[in-house]
Amino acid sequence: MKKLIVGLAGNPNVGKTSVFNQLTGMHQHVGNWPGKTVERAEGSFKHGDYEYDIIDLPGNYALSAHTIEEIVSRDFIVDDNSDVIINVVDAANLERNLYLTTQMMELGANLVLALNMNDFAKKKDHFINIELVSELLGFPVVEINAKNKDGFDELLTTVEKVAANPIDSSIKLSYGDELKQHLGELQVIIEQDKSLCDVPSIWTAIKLLEKDSIVIEKVQKSSISSKIMMEVDKIAKHLIDIFDEGAEEVIANARYAFIDGLMAEAVERPSVEKETTSDKIDKIVTNRILAPFIFIFLMWLMFQLTFLIGDPFEQLINQAFNMLGSWVASFISNYYLKAFICDALIGGVGGVISYLPIIFMMFLFLSILEDCGYLARAAFTLDIVMHKIVGLHGKAFIPMILGFGCGVPAIMATRTLESESDRILAMMLVPFMSCTARLPIYAIFTAAFFSQHKGTIMLLMYGLGIVVALIVAAIFKRTIFKGMSSPFVMELPTYKLPSLKGVLLHTWEKAKGFLKKAGTLILVCSMVLWALSIFPMGVNYGSGDSYLGMIGNAIAPIFTPLGFGTWQAAVAIISGLAAKEVVVASFGTIAGMEEIDEEGMSPFLHDLFTPLSAFSFMAFTLLYTPCIATIGAIRQETNSNKWPIIMCAITLTTAYVVSFLIFNVGTLLGFH
Ligand code: GDP
Ligand code: MG
């Protein structure tokens, strides 16, 4: 006989005592919890090879330290040597019941969910996809009826199974990017003290943020308590800045977002009896037919506003740098020194910084959409497409959308994907998104060749990136990244007006990455480019005789089948390896322009490209290897050299194939 200690946990009135009585019959013993005035019912019975010792825990809605009942329950889960916790839930009130479940998941309890009163749920037209709920929670769910003992045998067999192979139920919890990141930071510190590791560090982290008196007392005994508490204060302040709410509310909201996401995915219910505003908005926003149109409209609006507001600022900054350049030039007489400081330094950095307003606006809008809860909805509705066609989790769409801003934060946003292989695949797709650095390229080419259809061509480029990414994903999901990832809950946070401070902080966090890139990488690249253009001594700046021209000439033939086998195009593509902004800068250099203006660039581009080869070139620059910063981000996030290299291979091949098709099919169709 093997002994099993099992606890029955759940909200009041869900049928725990009924289950307990059915199982133990007369073999029970009622007393008090040691030193507490809370009743403790314990009983025993045999099932198969097992001798059960079962404890009916007090009914709770939460596992805070507010009531003795809650403390008794959580102490039982943490301290007593229980094998399994059966969480009895009332199926007709699943949503409310799951709030306690999430907290037991935070504790990593070895759980089995006993779904009681499902007959009531069905009467209310609630249909629960039990299998899916189980997959989303990450532990078994068994339907039972406490009144007539239906499902009890399956329940006990399941309990025996998880007793033999315990499951860490915290794995499938997802509490959103922001909270997850900060909990993670706190967990790392907590895990430095082994004496705190008797419970999952995520539990300690959450409880500290919730100001749980018992956990705080325990942590205060730790040798690193001041370090931990300092981090807790820092995070709590940060959360208030971002969400305009205390950490306790933020955590509670995260739990509800998790539950709402699970309910929306796995439970079919008649429209809610009393609709909240959030429900009403959701009815429209996540409507299967309307959702894609709303999404496209919002994206379109975002791009329109970004340029409408960002453009004038961009020109202002451009002028300022030009003025600075000519002012500084008036003090220097040496030709090379003047060229170095004014063209390479001031021109190079100015060219990049002038895009900051546009990038800032883009991040601002993305942050607003993210913080008000819309992006989560977009991912939720797009999940249907993503899952069926591509085989990726809908959450993979969020990094892709962020990729419209900049690849670096987008790569970092893949952290929300729980499955490692999905995460890596999502990283492979981000580089195909038209980040803001591609915009200057589109701008000079559409001005030169498609001035009548600027908007359409832009949209085509964005669309091309998405379509190519989805095709690549579908191919890879069926080859290298085989195997469907197990489903995870997509949290549905309630809509709220984002706080100004929160949005600005998020925007700043993202824009910071871009500024860093401009300050270091792009500066270095534009200096190298400048040096290659001006040497050997005596050549015309950026001409075919310069080192730059020589390199371009050597590799240009590779691009002949794509329609742009000129050394100038080759040079632009090489320099774009550093950062895509540099593509335009290098055309400027070659054209011998002091400043890049779209009008002036036109005749120069007309010498090099036809409309068809221009389109092919745009597609190539969109799809080929992303900037060094993005490659670096992938390297950092995967902690390997393998994935950045694979990504470069994928993007280069894809770019070559797609441009080849565009140019050759286009030629066959009679375009030129
Ligand atoms: P506890 O508070 O979780 O211990 O719940 P109880 O076992 O005391 O049950 C609360 C009420 O729900 C009692 O009136 C039970 O008779 C009733 N109940 C429990 N399980 C079921 C069930 O499966 N079906 C129905 N119809 N009623 C149930
Ligand atoms: Mg009871």
Side-chain angles (χ1 to χ4, degrees):
M1 277 282 165
K2 282 171 260 179
K3 273 200 84 99
L4 277 185
I5 304 175
V6 173
L8 282 171
N11 289 176
N13 285 316
V14 295
K16 286 186 309 303
T17 305
S18 307
V19 173
F20 179 76
N21 288 338
Q22 292 276 23
L23 286 170
T24 57
M26 299 301 289
H27 303 279
Q28 42 176 273
H29 153 86
V30 179
N32 267 2
W33 292 84
K36 306 262 162 61
T37 54
V38 182
E39 189 184 87
R40 171 185 167 113
E42 187 170 353
S44 60
F45 66 97
K46 291 192 178 70
H47 178 263
D49 291 339
Y50 293 89
E51 196 178 324
Y52 278 77
D53 183 7
I54 191 161
I55 292 98
D56 189 9
L57 297 170
N60 320 115
Y61 293 107
L63 291 182
S64 52
H66 294 317
T67 67
I68 308 178
E69 282 83 0
E70 291 179 358
I71 295 169
V72 163
S73 289
R74 69 186 221 187
D75 283 353
F76 178 83
I77 299 173
V78 175
D79 303 331
D80 291 16
N81 301 316
S82 60
D83 295 291
V84 180
I85 305 294
I86 299 178
N87 178 200
V88 184
V89 294
D90 170 1
N93 291 299
L94 187 59
E95 196 166 1
R96 192 185 42 188
N97 277 236
L98 284 173
Y99 193 70
L100 176 68
T101 309
T102 56
Q103 293 171 69
M104 292 197 279
M105 290 168 80
E106 288 162 12
L107 260 178
N110 195 19
L111 286 169
V112 172
L113 199 78
L115 192 68
N116 195 22
M117 312 212 220
N118 204 14
D119 45 338
F120 281 126
K122 284 179 187 152
K123 256 184 226 152
K124 284 168 78 178
D125 282 336
H126 292 192
F127 297 102
I128 301 169
N129 182 341
I130 297 178
E131 218 170 290
L132 185 55
V133 171
S134 163
E135 263 188 284
L136 291 172
L137 290 174
F139 50 85
V141 179
V142 180
E143 183 178 353
I144 60 161
N145 184 323
K147 270 227 163 117
N148 56 23
K149 283 188 91 165
D150 278 350
F152 273 43
D153 201 50
E154 195 195 339
L155 177 65
L156 295 178
T157 335
T158 309
V159 165
E160 287 147 23
K161 232 182 262 163
V162 302
N165 296 300
I167 296 166
D168 177 0
S169 57
S170 67
I171 287 175
K172 292 250 175 167
L173 276 181
S174 44
Y175 280 169
D177 203 13
E178 183 73 39
L179 191 55
K180 181 180 174 173
Q181 188 194 331
H182 297 302
L183 286 174
E185 290 158 6
L186 190 49
Q187 280 173 258
V188 170
I189 302 178
I190 292 168
E191 281 160 17
Q192 287 168 5
D193 184 350
K194 287 280 165 291
S195 75
L196 297 174
C197 292
D198 54 335
V199 286
S201 56
I202 188 161
W203 162 265
T204 310
I206 288 174
K207 289 295 141 184
L208 287 174
L209 284 170
E210 286 183 331
K211 303 191 192 73
D212 184 288
S213 53
I214 296 177
V215 174
I216 289 178
E217 207 177 299
K218 176 179 161 193
V219 167
Q220 268 161 358
K221 295 196 189 99
S222 160
S223 56
I224 51 168
S225 73
S226 59
K227 197 168 154 195
I228 295 175
M229 295 319 286
M230 248 164 63
E231 183 71 15
V232 170
D233 284 344
K234 200 182 102 194
I235 294 172
K237 279 204 193 81
H238 181 72
L239 290 178
I240 289 176
D241 281 344
I242 298 269
F243 295 104
D244 231 356
E245 274 172 331
E248 278 163 285
E249 284 84 36
V250 173
I251 291 166
N253 288 340
R255 290 184 188 125
Y256 286 122
F258 175 83
I259 294 167
D260 284 347
L262 183 135
M263 295 297 290
E265 243 171 292
V267 182
E268 211 181 293
R269 285 180 296 180
S271 53
V272 201
E273 290 82 15
K274 213 177 143 227
E275 285 188 339
T276 62
T277 321
S278 198
D279 293 327
K280 281 181 200 151
I281 301 174
D282 263 352
K283 244 184 165 170
I284 302 167
V285 171
T286 63
N287 176 294
R288 283 182 190 204
I289 297 157
L290 287 178
F293 294 101
I294 294 174
F295 174 71
I296 291 169
F297 171 74
L298 283 175
M299 288 296 114
W300 175 84
L301 190 70
M302 179 174 89
F303 289 123
Q304 292 293 322
L305 288 175
T306 297
F307 291 106
L308 198 72
I309 305 171
D311 258 349
F313 288 101
E314 183 201 328
Q315 280 158 21
L316 219 68
I317 296 183
N318 240 332
Q319 279 167 8
F321 270 95
N322 283 333
M323 274 158 62
L324 180 72
S326 26
W327 182 70
V328 172
S330 63
F331 293 97
I332 309 169
S333 52
N334 182 293
Y335 169 71
Y336 284 97
L337 189 65
K338 186 172 6 197
F340 175 74
I341 292 180
C342 301
D343 295 344
L345 275 181
I346 300 176
V349 176
V352 176
I353 290 187
S354 62
Y355 290 112
L356 193 64
I358 288 182
I359 286 166
F360 183 85
M361 290 312 296
M362 181 83 116
F363 283 142
L364 185 72
F365 287 119
L366 281 173
S367 297
I368 293 173
L369 288 180
E370 200 176 4
D371 289 4
C372 76
Y374 175 74
L375 269 195
R377 262 71 184 186
F380 189 84
T381 35
L382 290 163
D383 185 52
I384 304 160
V385 186
M386 291 291 267
H387 242 115
K388 294 246 165 71
I389 304 174
V390 186
L392 255 181
H393 197 282
K395 268 191 196 172
F397 219 84
I398 292 182
M400 287 169 69
I401 297 169
L402 293 177
F404 288 143
C406 170
V408 176
I411 295 289
M412 293 196 290
T414 58
R415 283 180 199 165
T416 41
L417 284 157
E418 283 81 0
S419 142
E420 183 68 20
S421 82
D422 266 15
R423 209 187 145 201
I424 290 174
L425 184 49
M427 285 185 205
M428 302 292 116
L429 304 183
V430 166
F432 292 126
M433 299 295 108
S434 284
C435 71
T436 38
R438 268 92 151 181
L439 287 171
I441 307 177
Y442 301 165
I444 61 163
F445 275 91
T446 48
F449 295 98
F450 312 104
S451 54
Q452 304 299 313
H453 309 282
K454 267 186 180 172
T456 320
I457 295 289
M458 287 267 188
L459 211 63
L460 264 178
M461 279 296 138
Y462 280 95
L464 182 69
I466 298 173
V467 170
V468 167
L470 293 183
I471 294 173
V472 168
I475 294 172
F476 279 92
K477 198 67 201 178
R478 282 158 184 79
T479 50
I480 304 183
F481 297 94
K482 246 201 186 117
M484 285 302 185
S485 51
S486 62
F488 267 93
V489 169
M490 276 191 281
E491 314 91 76
L492 286 182
T494 42
Y495 289 103
K496 63 183 184 69
L497 272 182
S499 80
L500 181 67
K501 209 167 167 188
V503 166
L504 288 178
L505 266 172
H506 277 153
T507 307
W508 169 239
E509 273 164 24
K510 288 169 185 151
K512 209 166 56 182
F514 175 81
L515 269 182
K516 242 191 202 158
K517 185 170 105 177
T520 54
L521 192 80
I522 297 178
L523 178 60
V524 171
C525 291
S526 72
M527 286 200 300
V528 170
L529 208 66
W530 172 85
L532 288 173
S533 317
I534 203 160
F535 295 113
M537 290 266 196
V539 297
N540 273 337
Y541 186 70
S543 70
D545 301 326
S546 65
Y547 288 127
L548 193 68
M550 292 179 207
I551 300 172
N553 267 315
I555 66 156
I558 303 174
F559 300 112
T560 308
L562 312 186
F564 44 87
T566 59
W567 68 266
Q568 294 92 334
V571 162
I573 285 169
I574 303 172
S575 42
L577 287 173
K580 304 239 168 161
E581 296 92 332
V582 188
V583 170
V584 170
S586 79
F587 277 134
T589 308
I590 297 169
M593 297 174 84
E594 294 276 314
E595 64 180 286
I596 295 149
D597 83 285
E598 290 168 10
E599 302 286 298
M601 193 73 105
S602 227
F604 167 74
L605 290 177
H606 272 281
D607 286 344
L608 296 176
F609 296 92
T610 65
L612 179 62
S613 70
F615 191 75
S616 167
F617 182 83
M618 285 163 77
F620 192 88
T621 50
L622 160 66
L623 301 173
Y624 84 122
T625 320
C627 66
I628 293 176
T630 305
I631 299 174
I634 294 181
R635 183 163 178 272
Q636 200 180 345
E637 291 292 310
T638 57
N639 200 12
S640 82
N641 289 321
K642 183 177 114 189
W643 290 113
I645 292 171
I646 291 180
M647 188 271 299
C648 290
I650 294 174
T651 45
L652 270 177
T653 316
T654 311
Y656 200 89
V657 170
V658 172
S659 289
F660 183 86
L661 287 176
I662 289 177
F663 183 65
N664 290 284
V665 174
T667 307
L668 285 178
L669 292 177
F671 291 100
H672 58 270

